[in-house]
Amino acid sequence: MQYSNSKYWDFGAPIAGILLTLSFAPFDYSCLAPVALAFLFACWRNGSAKRAAMRGYLFGLGAFGSGVSWVYISMHDFGGAGVFEASLLTGLFSAFWASFPALAGYLSVKINPVNKGSVRILLMPVIWILVEYLRGYWVLNGFPWLHIAYSQLATPLAGYIPVLGVYGTGFIVALTASMAVEILFGSKRLLPITVLIVLWGTGGLLRHQTWTHEIGQPLRVAMIQGNIAQDQKWRPENKISTLLKYKKMTEAHWDSNIIIWPETAIPAYLDQVNDAFLTPLGNDAKLHNTDLIISVPVQEQSPVRSFNAVITLGKEQGMYRKTHLLPFGEYLPLQPLSGFVLNKINIRLGNFTPGAVNQPLLKAGGYPFITLVCYEDVFGDVSSRGLSDAAYLVNVTNDGWFGNSIEPHQHLQMARMRAMETGRFLLRSTNTGVTAVISPKGEIINQAPLFQEVALTGTITPMGGMTPYEKWGDKPVIGVMAILLLGLMGWGKRGRPG
């Protein structure tokens, strides 16, 4: 069949990419993820490797051009770039990440030159996930945005998340798409239909499985959403009013066991506010039997370096320094080129130092917890460090950089995945939203509205035990994918077309 040689498929590829974006928050049309991938896989069935790469690239332009368009807001509205510069950089950003679906398409055809159906049905999903892993874990410190598993938090496939994580669950989504293509265009339909029924049915059953257990009494929590506009946050004349706002909102919730402030809630370095502001506040917290979790930048003098940090005050005192930094936001990769270019177009970004990987867990409410600062909540391996000793997760972030875009909703969706992978409650405190309490099943128990000053309250239960995913991590899934790829590479080059 030569249907995929039609140029109409070229025009459809970017549209399919846009459909993929619609499968994620805030749109949440989950069914569109396998539909979009099925269209893409169908594009790759009978064309050349070069044509498959081109269609993959067009798909990527549609997906990333729509799915991460919020980069423009951060650069133009808050980064100081002009309309032209911000548009150019956003376009280059999308164009770069679009190369990964192109790579997946090229390899899918190149490795299976005789187009064996028995190879093709597994090869495309395997390559898709390995390319997602390359993009999400290795390239530029990892960029896992629009990983397909995040679109399935409310479907039966969500049952696989505590078992297989984001890449294993993503493989099942991609395999669903590949099976659907075989059902539509292949000659053998019974086997793929049976496999789909088993895969989705098993996922539905796993959703009812509980992997962790309660280990203590419920804790009352309050998360302060200060709603400080990003372009006002660091103005020196606003520092005192910002501190007084957080102090006043905190004092209204001394009946909570834990009170959390969002990422860099304090617009000053720790040593500038510690004695006059934080120490007295910590003493008040201790008197009320409350623990404070506060995010504040820390500067050290010997050697001179800065950290994006979280501290605890009250009964428990400690500090966590963010380990997984945001490229082009908290540090500049590809130096000196990136620094030179950004200086030329007048964009000034942070220059933080990563903290040590194996830091002791902070404690609040009588229990240790996993600290995830902003971007860290999109990486499953970061939330796994020390999890066996942790009773819950805390994510402090500031999505004010992205305005009223789809980014805060996408980011919340990714945070929900961490709760599901770990089987623990996740407390998410943000500057402008979306602040939320998330259950171990990834359900949003309580959520604050965007761009409102509010103290979100709720109750969580300390949890213990480990999900299968947290025992194994991503390595077994990626290892199986790599072994499958090697086997399929050998099988695809033998015999006649299937």
Side-chain angles (χ1 to χ4, degrees):
M1 183 184 293
Q2 298 300 314
Y3 69 94
S4 66
N5 289 332
S6 169
K7 292 184 179 180
Y8 290 111
W9 291 80
D10 300 343
F11 295 116
I15 297 174
I18 295 172
L19 292 180
L20 181 68
T21 292
L22 295 178
S23 70
F24 299 98
F27 313 104
D28 292 317
Y29 296 110
S30 301
C31 62
L32 292 181
V35 168
L37 278 186
F39 181 94
L40 186 63
F41 292 169
C43 284
W44 294 345
R45 278 171 62 95
N46 292 309
S48 66
K50 185 181 294 186
R51 178 58 66 90
M54 184 195 72
R55 288 171 174 169
Y57 192 73
L58 292 172
F59 178 91
L61 288 178
F64 291 104
S66 59
V68 298
S69 56
W70 37 261
V71 170
Y72 174 87
I73 297 173
S74 65
M75 291 184 177
H76 176 262
D77 295 6
F78 305 111
V83 172
F84 175 76
E85 292 89 348
S87 300
L88 176 63
L89 289 173
T90 302
L92 291 173
F93 185 79
S94 301
F96 173 76
W97 296 116
S99 64
F100 288 85
L103 175 63
Y106 180 83
L107 293 176
S108 293
V109 175
K110 196 70 175 179
I111 291 173
N112 187 22
V114 296
N115 195 27
K116 275 193 169 186
S118 56
V119 173
R120 181 180 59 229
I121 199 167
L122 280 176
L123 182 64
M124 290 181 183
V126 165
I127 290 177
W128 183 269
I129 293 304
L130 289 176
V131 170
E132 273 201 345
Y133 179 67
L134 174 67
R135 171 170 69 87
Y137 193 84
W138 293 104
V139 177
L140 294 179
N141 216 19
F143 185 70
W145 238 265
L146 304 188
H147 275 10
I148 53 175
Y150 289 111
S151 67
Q152 302 300 305
L153 303 191
T155 74
L157 297 188
Y160 290 104
I161 291 172
V163 181
L164 301 176
V166 68
Y167 295 108
T169 305
F171 172 72
I172 296 174
V173 180
L175 185 60
T176 296
S178 185
M179 294 280 186
V181 173
E182 292 301 316
I183 292 170
L184 289 173
F185 300 109
S187 58
K188 299 177 181 179
R189 294 180 171 84
L190 180 59
L191 179 59
I193 290 173
T194 303
V195 171
L196 284 181
I197 292 172
V198 171
L199 283 176
W200 282 71
T202 302
L205 292 174
L206 287 173
R207 289 195 71 180
H208 300 290
Q209 175 67 41
T210 300
W211 302 101
T212 54
H213 56 274
E214 298 178 359
I215 59 173
Q217 296 301 311
L219 300 171
R220 296 186 306 277
V221 299
M223 290 162 288
I224 310 300
Q225 182 172 295
N227 194 37
I228 309 294
Q230 191 60 38
D231 57 357
Q232 299 295 317
K233 183 175 181 179
W234 293 98
R235 291 180 180 269
E237 64 269 23
N238 294 335
K239 182 173 76 172
I240 298 302
S241 62
T242 297
L243 295 177
L244 291 177
K245 171 186 280 192
Y246 277 101
K247 183 175 185 290
K248 181 179 179 180
M249 295 178 73
T250 296
E251 290 172 342
H253 293 279
W254 283 134
D255 59 337
S256 299
N257 301 110
I258 303 167
I259 300 175
I260 309 172
W261 294 11
E263 182 187 17
T264 55
I266 296 178
Y269 286 110
L270 176 62
D271 62 318
Q272 297 173 327
V273 294
N274 191 43
D275 293 339
F277 181 73
L278 288 177
T279 297
L281 188 66
N283 291 335
D284 288 345
K286 192 179 298 184
L287 289 174
H288 289 89
N289 202 32
T290 299
D291 287 317
L292 302 179
I293 302 173
I294 294 176
S295 179
V296 57
V298 173
Q299 190 172 59
E300 297 180 354
Q301 299 301 323
S302 184
V304 177
R305 52 185 184 170
S306 300
F307 298 92
N308 192 350
V310 171
I311 62 173
T312 51
L313 300 174
K315 303 187 301 295
E316 306 286 349
Q317 297 186 29
M319 178 184 294
Y320 169 81
R321 296 169 174 85
K322 184 178 181 181
T323 63
H324 201 125
L325 301 181
L326 174 66
F328 302 107
E330 294 173 316
Y331 81 101
L332 291 177
L334 307 177
Q335 287 279 49
L337 177 62
S338 60
F340 173 79
V341 172
L342 293 174
N343 284 334
K344 283 292 184 182
I345 60 178
N346 196 35
I347 295 182
R348 301 290 184 264
L349 300 175
N351 186 24
F352 287 104
T353 299
V357 172
N358 296 316
Q359 300 176 56
L361 298 181
L362 299 180
K363 290 182 68 176
Y367 295 91
F369 63 89
I370 298 293
T371 307
L372 303 168
V373 181
C374 193
Y375 194 58
E376 290 183 317
D377 69 342
V378 305
F379 298 98
D381 63 311
V382 178
S383 60
S384 299
R385 298 171 188 162
L387 183 69
S388 60
D389 297 320
Y392 57 96
L393 312 179
V394 171
N395 171 224
V396 297
T397 191
N398 177 27
D399 287 333
W401 282 99
F402 307 104
N404 191 19
S405 69
I406 62 177
E407 191 278 345
H409 305 281
Q410 292 176 337
H411 200 175
L412 173 64
Q413 190 174 49
M414 300 174 87
R416 291 171 59 196
M417 177 76 80
R418 303 290 85 81
M420 299 169 78
E421 287 173 344
T422 60
R424 280 159 173 76
F425 286 88
L426 187 147
L427 301 173
R428 191 165 192 269
S429 181
T430 72
N431 174 30
T432 58
V434 180
T435 297
V437 179
I438 303 171
S439 79
K441 293 287 188 180
E443 301 155 339
I444 298 175
I445 299 173
N446 201 1
Q447 175 179 321
L450 279 165
F451 305 112
Q452 290 188 26
E453 178 184 311
V454 62
L456 184 71
T457 60
T459 302
I460 67 167
T461 305
M463 305 295 289
M466 299 284 279
T467 64
Y469 169 75
E470 291 301 339
K471 293 177 182 178
W472 306 330
D474 291 317
K475 290 181 179 178
V477 169
I478 298 303
V480 169
M481 295 294 107
I483 292 170
L484 275 174
L485 177 61
L486 291 174
L488 292 168
M489 287 173 66
W491 185 252
K493 293 178 180 180
R494 295 175 53 194
R496 56 188 178 84

